Amino acid sequence: MRHSLDSITDKFKQVFATNPTVWADAGGRVNIIGEHTDYHDGFVLPTAIDLRSYAVASGREDGILRIYAADYDSTVEVALEGLEPFQQVDWRSYTCGPFWSWIGAGRPFSGADVAIASNVPSGGGLSSSASIEVSMLGIAKTLSCENPSCLDIAIIARAAENHFCHVPCGIMDQMASSCGQKDKALLIDCRSLETRLVATPTNWVLVVADSGVRHSLAAGEYAKRQVECKTGMETIISSYPDVKVARDVSMDMLNSVKDRISEVSFRRLRHAISENERTTKAADAFEAGDVHLTGQLMRQSHQSLAKDYEVSCQELDTLVQIASGIEGCVGARLTGAGFGGNTVNLVHKDAADNFCSELKAKYHKASGIETIVRIVRPSAGLLTGRF
Ligand code: GLA
């Protein structure tokens, strides 16, 4: 781990020549199953992890926000009054946007000096952006002595990502990063925003493996999937007026309109519907300790994402295929938006060290890419405090 609360506190002192008064630390997340379902009001099963973002701050009264990002060794300074989304979206948007969104939600805030650092790999499908947004809101909450729920924080963070960073994401990442709990996964109903805590089975660990690929087309393709589903949904809604979103559609309904929607929309919706079924089943199996069923559903999820939703890539498929042949691994799939980033693997704890080295070596042989394979622990979401 590169960063910690201690290291970012030292940086804060160097940059701002004073001591911070508050801290916040929020998890990245790994999604076990339930991919590309959150923006269809469906189900997801993520957990916050121990790769995290760390922020420290002291308050100001003059309406100025200064943020130092250790990962870029750079500082942004803005006046809160009249703050608007930046022309170009970069780290400044992800750090300033949450404060803009916080004020937009009617919460008080008079300015701050903030330092932030993240151990969540950027663009790797492990929600580095959500963990940064949520840690920024942890600072806003602690400095302003407000007491929003973890769900309130997730909603405000998502609004920042949607409207300040212009990313049309669902709520999964921000909820995991804000509401996660140690040793638990969260089954989130993305319509009601209710969560059920799902205990992670003892003796099994989650391993993430980085494909090393970062596809810049991910953002455009992500929005395109939403359009492809929407087009199919219009036909379904015209036949079934009670239906509002893909979450309401059964496989029978989808099949009944098969010859009236495009083949692409059909496959996209087939993924959204089948993934919801797999996710609720996997949550029950996970909780009951039936890791083999959970793993089987994870493998099916990957196939559906690769073939029907088409958000995988050759490197992710290679990682999943190699992982599935290594002893002790019962399930492997891409995690997050796809098109690169990480896979998540469910592995017996006694086999985990060997799994990590074998996957790394075999992936390198197959692709020429040096990957990082690591065990991640289901962890708390947002933690905050005062010095
Ligand atoms: C990204 C988005 C999430 C979700 C996933 C895919 O991580 O931020 O809202 O849609 O992709 O499941």
Side-chain angles (χ1 to χ4, degrees), residues 29 31 34-39 44 125 127 161 167 169-174 222 336-337:
R29 67 101 188 87
N31 189 19
E35 216 65 84
H36 288 276
T37 49
D38 59 352
Y39 52 82
V44 294
S127 291
E161 179 127 5
V167 178
C169 66
I171 188 103
M172 166 170 74
D173 304 350
Q174 292 78 12
Y222 185 88

Side-chain angles (χ1 to χ4, degrees), residues 170-189:
I171 188 103
M172 166 170 74
D173 304 350
Q174 292 78 12
M175 275 194 77
S177 183
S178 178
C179 303
Q181 290 203 16
K182 189 170 182 291
D183 297 331
K184 301 279 195 290
L186 299 176
L187 177 67
I188 306 172
D189 177 335

Side-chain angles (χ1 to χ4, degrees), residues 20 41 45 50 95 115 131 170 219 267 304 314 319 333 351:
D41 280 5
L45 187 67
D50 52 349
T95 51
S131 78
R267 282 189 289 116
S304 177
Q314 200 193 330
L319 270 177
R333 56 179 289 281

